Amino acid sequence: MSNSRILQGELAYWLGVLATPGEASEPMPAHIAEALRVLRCVQDTEDGGLRVTDKGLLALRMADPAAIHYR
């Protein structure tokens, strides 16, 4: 993984963008995509894109302010 600094909330932001089709107005930075691959929140598709995994969907639910652990 590169030494690029990842800001707080940046992985969750890009994971949310990826999970919402048509949301991305700019391409995902390569260091973010690599970090999400390492965390197994995304995986590569046959057409060269990224797909959110079940673990990624769980991460999005846990980051939601309405998640039960925030109550």
Side-chain angles (χ1 to χ4, degrees), residues 34-47:
E34 184 60 28
L36 289 172
R37 278 188 200 99
V38 168
L39 294 171
R40 297 184 184 184
C41 291
V42 299
Q43 53 185 201
D44 296 311
T45 60
E46 292 96 25
D47 63 352

